[in-house]
Amino acid sequence: MTFFTIVVRGLLRRPVRTGLTLVGISIGIAAVVALVGISRGFEASWATGMKVRGTDIVVSNMGNALAPKPFSSEVRDRIGNLPEVASACSIYADLTSVEDASMMVVSAREWGGFSWQNLKLISGRMPHDAMEPAVVLGQTAAEMLKKKIGDPLQLETKELTVTGIVDGGAMVENGSVILSLALFQNITGNEGRINVIDIRATPGMSEDEVKQLCNKIDAIAPEAKAMVAGEHLGNSQAFRFISAMSWGTSLLAVIVGVLGVMNTMLMTVFERKQEICILLAIGWKPGRVIRMILWESALLGFLGGIVGVIIGTIGVKVLETLPAIHGMLEPDFNAELMGVAVVLSVVVGVLSGLYPAWRSSRLTPSLAMQG
């Protein structure tokens, strides 16, 4: 009988208890995979949205909110005069309820700005001018709001007409209600206020030169912060708080798994006390007994990690099909996240087995004569 066979037999001795322990670990790991994958996916999709718009730098004041704080549109003129800036586009982005949808991205864009150029019409047309009471919807937003060309859409106190449905090339773009900045400012009473400036740098600029341009923008526009496109969301306090909450919630679930593994291994040591004592009596060293217990707990963790990754992935895929959030999730289930989840599960298993392993090493061969 090999060492590994003894380890596996130890886990199969109580299959129901081992199975329940695996469930506990896998739920914790599934939470890690699902929550972290969703938050990373949203950040990656946001970066993709910046890329398809051709944005090199984003100027905003994210603060503690998910939507940036507004500032004067005069900042755009200051930035647009810099020789390194090829073009600048003012935007007012907001997260708000729109009709039956509790949370939608409303993206009001400077009429004629480059942020309209990536929108590919699927049906209908673009608004005729900046003040036409019209919106275009990303294809996901149209599905969520159940709108088609010509339908009315209530935004704040104004009824607008859906004139076009577009493909923006990224999840965030496709989930947005898009309209003219001037029209949105008029509807909401935010004349002269914006909260984002998309910037295209002069073609041919290196990455270091783009970062230097960010510093120059910060110097002339202290009302906001300039960041390389794709990085500004991850650096916002609100998003970092959400990411931390994702990890925190996941780790709480993992701790429950830790307690489950520890309880299982302690019961294993208690029930197999005579067997362990016999192994010591026939020449096993205490260190080998410790390795046996740790291998059992590590194997529990490994299997729980594999099952957890599968459950987390399937769970998010099921969530994606729900009508309420269809098209709003684009999780990032890359190999790195999967690997981290499995390694975390193995570490959890080993740490959970340390105390039971120490207890097993304290047994003596003479105890085999008892019971």
Side-chain angles (χ1 to χ4, degrees), residues 135-157:
V135 297
V136 295
L137 302 178
Q139 53 188 344
T140 304
E143 292 175 11
M144 292 180 63
L145 294 169
K146 299 177 181 178
K147 298 291 183 181
K148 60 183 184 300
I149 303 301
D151 285 350
L153 183 140
Q154 190 74 29
L155 185 63
E156 299 282 344
T157 59

Side-chain angles (χ1 to χ4, degrees), residues 158-169:
K158 185 77 172 180
E159 185 177 278
L160 307 175
T161 301
V162 178
T163 61
I165 296 174
V166 298
D167 177 8

Side-chain angles (χ1 to χ4, degrees), residues 26 76 114 149-150 163 272:
S26 61
R76 181 245 190 255
F114 68 81
I149 303 301
T163 61
R272 296 163 61 192

Side-chain angles (χ1 to χ4, degrees), residues 224-238:
K225 177 74 174 175
M227 302 198 71
V228 176
E231 296 180 2
H232 71 293
L233 181 67
N235 283 280
S236 73
Q237 295 180 32

Side-chain angles (χ1 to χ4, degrees), residues 33 125 210:
V33 171
R125 62 172 177 84
V210 171

Side-chain angles (χ1 to χ4, degrees), residues 56-113:
D56 297 312
I57 296 173
V58 177
V59 180
S60 66
N61 183 0
M62 291 298 292
N64 296 318
L66 281 176
K69 296 179 181 179
F71 50 84
S72 172
S73 58
E74 183 266 338
V75 174
R76 181 245 190 255
D77 298 327
R78 267 185 271 158
I79 294 172
N81 290 328
L82 292 173
E84 300 90 343
V85 174
S87 56
C89 181
S90 299
I91 295 174
Y92 201 117
D94 198 10
L95 282 170
T96 185
S97 59
V98 178
E99 295 191 352
D100 294 335
S102 58
M103 190 68 70
M104 292 285 294
V105 176
V106 177
S107 180
R109 306 179 179 187
E110 179 182 348
W111 186 251

Side-chain angles (χ1 to χ4, degrees), residues 206-363:
S206 67
E207 185 176 335
D208 287 339
E209 289 174 329
V210 171
K211 290 181 179 178
Q212 290 173 12
L213 177 57
C214 288
N215 294 332
K216 185 180 283 191
I217 292 171
D218 290 339
I220 66 170
E223 300 93 332
K225 177 74 174 175
M227 302 198 71
V228 176
E231 296 180 2
H232 71 293
L233 181 67
N235 283 280
S236 73
Q237 295 180 32
F239 186 79
R240 280 186 287 188
F241 176 76
I242 291 173
S243 296
M245 285 293 292
S246 297
W247 274 107
T249 303
S250 303
L251 291 177
L252 283 176
V254 170
I255 288 172
V256 174
V258 169
L259 297 176
V261 174
M262 187 176 293
N263 177 70
T264 295
M265 299 315 300
L266 279 172
M267 291 299 294
T268 295
V269 171
F270 177 77
E271 293 174 353
R272 296 163 61 192
K273 181 171 66 175
Q274 190 171 27
E275 175 190 332
I276 293 171
C277 291
I278 291 173
L279 291 174
L280 290 169
I282 63 175
W284 276 42
K285 301 294 184 184
R288 194 177 189 193
V289 173
I290 290 175
R291 289 199 303 273
M292 178 183 71
I293 300 300
L294 290 180
W295 267 100
E296 289 183 15
S297 58
L299 184 57
L300 264 177
F302 176 74
L303 295 175
I306 297 297
V307 174
V309 165
I310 295 171
I311 292 176
T313 304
I314 293 175
V316 174
K317 294 297 182 184
V318 171
L319 283 176
E320 288 183 284
T321 64
L322 297 179
I325 57 177
H326 175 63
M328 297 300 289
L329 295 181
E330 193 173 279
D332 183 11
F333 292 139
N334 55 37
E336 178 190 1
L337 176 59
M338 304 297 188
V340 168
V342 174
V343 170
L344 175 63
S345 187
V346 173
V347 171
V348 163
V350 172
L351 293 178
S352 304
L354 288 176
Y355 179 66
W358 177 80
R359 285 289 300 269
S360 69
S361 71
R362 307 292 294 176
L363 298 175

